[in-house]
Amino acid sequence: MQLRELADRARKAFLLRDLETSEQFVLQMADQAPGHPGIFLFLGNIYTAMEKFNKAIQAYQQSIELDPDNPEAHNNIGIVYRREENFPAAVGALEQARKLAPQRADIWYNLANVYKQMEDPDEAEVYYRKALELDPNLTRAFNNLGNLYETRGMHDQAKELYRRGLKNDPNNPTLSYNLGITYQSMGKAPEAIRSYRQALRSRPNWVDGLNNLGILLEETGEYEEARQMLESALKVDSSNPRIKNNLGVVLGAIGDHEKAREYLQQAVKADPTYTTAVINLTTEMEELNDSEGAWEELQRVKAEEPSNLEIREKIARIAVKNGKHKQAREEIRFILDHNPKAGFAWALLGDLSLATGNRTKAREAYSRAINLSPEDTDTALNLALLYKELKEYNQAIAVVSGILGKNPRHSGARLLLGKLYLYENLYTEALSILSTLYEDFPYDEELLETLIRAHRGAGNKEEALRFTEELINQQGQRDKTLDLDKLEQTLALYEETVEAYADEHERRWEENLKLLMNSTETEAEPEEVHEEDSLFFDNIPDLDQPAEIIDVGGIEPVIVINEDEERLRLKEMEEEILSPPPDFEKEEEEKKPAPQAPPAAPAETGDSGFPGTINVNVQNPPPTNRIELGLLPIPGLRTRIRRHFSRKGRKADEAMEELLPEEEETPADLLRYLEDLTEFLPEDKRKDFEQSEMRLRMEALLDRLEGKPTLRQQAETMQQEPDQESPEISLNPESISSTLSFMGDLSTYLPDPDIGVALHHKIADILKTMKRDSHGIT
């Protein structure tokens, strides 16, 4: 077989990864032309691909003996030494190649890779920049120099390098992926998501890309798409415990705790020492009310890894939560004995101290935790709540301001700061915070309650009433089931709001009241006015409640970011092997292999011109740079409204006795009386009522209470025309709620505030009756 035919077959076998066959053809070539350096260079490349490094070095050395001035053999032997982590030998070989070919950018690039692997970033940077100076289109140099900056925390510089590389190669998946990592490190989730999507367009089944995109989508609340991404990754790598862990986290976030536990159990089974999966599994077991099972699982891992502080932290959290104070104290002591600067352990000690009633110690522990871990906003929020409970409002404001300095969008801290300003009667400051928060969370009931009180304190009557109406409507329309307790409490809040402004139009109210009651010229007895520092602080619902302790041990998925420096292994470079050279006889005449045109990727291909001659540019394995992200469920500051009225003047019951007939006792009588009172409304409001569906609902409700037929039944008895539809009014808790809300709104326009107060008391009685009936209570 002729040399050219052997070279062609060796090349094809190499491209097909049939390395043994390629080796046999090249050995036959060596028998025919033992003095040709390119044959041994090709043979060295084959052995490198087969990871037979000793044979590869021998082949390259034979090539160097035949042609000492060929930089390709020096370059490739340097790369093999790097693969063996023999860095001094690698630098020596590559420096010799650089001296022989100082304008070869790929050789400078390979030297930079060695210095980077030797953890000499300064020297590596010099060589990368020289490579880019010689070849501004060397994409891999942009990528690896960007990685160098990223590992040093220089995110802006890394970002610019990745973007410059993408200008040269817009479809390069590695550059897009690494750019996503940088954006993720910078906290720019939308940009990171776009970068990961771009990487996956070029490399659709990339497990790391699917994983990281899934976690970011979870972080931004796109749970369904996050689940799809992680399930796709699991189809590619079905045994990957990390993906199973992350999928379990996403399923837990959307409330599918059973399925979440299943995937997390699989992750733990695949890797029993996978601490994050164990912690996430026990979190899901707690969600499924299996606290004992979670406790046993943690104790199992603790027995196998007694020095694992993460496991002990989780055990301590469960112990505090379940009142196992002795066990919690033991675990916290162990953690602090091994790491006195563990901020999370001091935070746990604060939780434990608060649970055992030692608020002074809790305050000291929380303060110590924040000093050690300034980024721990959860513990800072707990400290602020504790200061609030201790009525040390200035300290609480200072702590919350610190939280917002780090995270201006922290909703819990913003709401708490608004409340704290109210405690200090700083209504303008409170409204500034709360109004901005309302733009982000217009349906948060606790926020609406706080806004009502803030506007009351600032004297903004119309705004206070508007937000009260909004809150009542929202509670009635939240779902198909009316929460009668909640609505009753909100009506009580509405009563407070109306009563707070009773003095504003007292004279006019008294005159209209006389007209309403057909009384004589006798003056109504004036109300007693109490002087107060604040209009409503005694009524803020959570003043007397203990600080809510935030469990910071929620779901914490670990996301491994495979900082995949593109590894330029020989087996990845077959596509760029040069075409076969001229006949061997011609090569003998020329004494040296004819140089070929440089390939598309200079960092990968050499210049010797022999079949299979390539620059084996193998990067170091990716560093284990792990970026851990995940949702940290932070319970809100929400507390239930406590019904606590501060009345002035006559009590509402007394006013009711004066305003309503003695025979008025039933809910139907009250509603009929309420309808009659609409005659005393201003003309425009009375017309609104008469033209509204609420009047029909009121009639339907009265008929229902009095046992009369429905409107449809009445219409049928009146024999309406066939093309007329009888109005059927739906009477469900939601419609009743909206009707009462509408009537409550109208009551603010009645002549006397006592009427509104008295009516709301009776409305509350109706709600109680409805509630008893709904539960079958007589």
Side-chain angles (χ1 to χ4, degrees), residues 443-463:
Y443 304 109
D444 186 287
E445 293 182 9
E446 184 182 10
L447 174 58
L448 288 172
E449 294 161 9
T450 310
L451 269 169
I452 292 165
R453 300 182 189 280
H455 280 296
R456 278 173 50 184
N460 303 329
K461 173 186 175 182
E462 296 300 328
E463 287 298 296

Side-chain angles (χ1 to χ4, degrees), residues 391-666:
K391 302 187 185 304
E392 299 178 12
Y393 303 130
N394 289 332
Q395 291 91 328
I397 289 173
V399 173
V400 175
S401 298
I403 297 173
L404 293 175
K406 299 179 180 67
N407 182 7
R409 306 298 298 173
H410 195 299
S411 57
R414 291 158 71 191
L415 179 57
L416 179 56
L417 183 58
K419 288 186 175 184
L420 290 169
Y421 281 144
L422 293 184
Y423 281 94
E424 295 295 306
N425 294 338
L426 300 173
Y427 306 118
T428 302
E429 292 83 350
L431 286 172
S432 175
I433 293 286
L434 297 172
S435 298
T436 304
L437 190 59
Y438 175 74
E439 295 175 2
D440 298 332
F441 305 98
Y443 304 109
D444 186 287
E445 293 182 9
E446 184 182 10
L447 174 58
L448 288 172
E449 294 161 9
T450 310
L451 269 169
I452 292 165
R453 300 182 189 280
H455 280 296
R456 278 173 50 184
N460 303 329
K461 173 186 175 182
E462 296 300 328
E463 287 298 296
L465 293 175
R466 180 174 71 84
F467 281 112
T468 305
E469 177 185 358
E470 183 176 334
L471 179 58
I472 293 174
N473 286 333
Q474 183 171 305
Q475 290 173 347
Q477 299 172 7
R478 180 173 51 230
D479 50 38
K480 297 300 181 183
T481 304
L482 178 63
D483 186 342
L484 297 179
D485 283 338
K486 192 68 175 177
L487 183 57
E488 179 185 352
Q489 293 165 350
T490 303
L491 288 172
L493 178 63
Y494 184 83
E495 175 187 324
E496 295 175 34
T497 304
V498 173
E499 188 176 1
Y501 297 101
D503 295 338
E504 182 179 343
H505 302 294
E506 181 178 357
R507 184 177 302 173
R508 179 166 58 86
W509 288 339
E510 290 178 352
E511 292 174 355
N512 289 328
L513 179 61
K514 288 188 293 183
L515 176 63
L516 176 66
M517 300 300 297
N518 296 318
S519 63
T520 62
E521 297 298 322
T522 306
E523 290 284 338
E525 187 176 313
E527 294 183 350
E528 179 184 358
V529 179
H530 297 282
E531 293 184 1
E532 300 180 2
D533 293 332
S534 167
L535 287 176
F536 58 89
F537 279 148
D538 289 340
N539 300 326
I540 290 184
D542 61 349
L543 261 177
D544 301 323
Q545 301 298 317
E548 183 176 352
I549 301 304
I550 296 174
D551 181 2
V552 298
I555 298 174
E556 298 175 308
V558 174
I559 309 164
V560 172
I561 305 297
N562 294 318
E563 192 170 308
D564 189 9
E565 303 176 7
E566 191 165 9
R567 285 170 268 177
L568 309 181
R569 300 178 185 271
L570 175 68
K571 59 187 177 184
E572 297 172 1
M573 309 313 307
E574 296 91 357
E575 295 81 358
E576 299 186 16
I577 293 180
L578 302 179
S579 59
D583 293 339
F584 176 65
E585 291 79 7
K586 184 176 180 180
E587 293 176 2
E588 286 294 326
E589 294 174 1
E590 296 178 357
K591 301 298 182 183
K592 278 193 176 183
Q596 302 227 351
E604 302 172 4
T605 306
D607 297 329
S608 69
F610 199 83
T613 299
I614 65 171
N615 169 19
V616 188
N617 185 359
V618 187
Q619 279 197 317
N620 59 301
T624 56
N625 178 29
R626 299 182 177 183
I627 301 177
E628 301 187 359
L629 299 174
L631 294 181
L632 185 63
I634 302 175
L637 304 175
R638 193 178 307 280
T639 56
R640 293 183 58 83
I641 303 174
R642 293 188 304 109
R643 189 174 184 184
H644 178 68
F645 299 107
S646 175
R647 309 186 189 286
K648 53 187 178 179
R650 294 168 297 167
K651 293 184 178 180
D653 290 339
E654 298 171 356
M656 183 67 76
E657 292 174 3
E658 295 178 11
L659 297 174
L660 297 182
E662 292 182 359
E663 63 272 13
E664 192 283 305
E665 294 178 351
T666 69

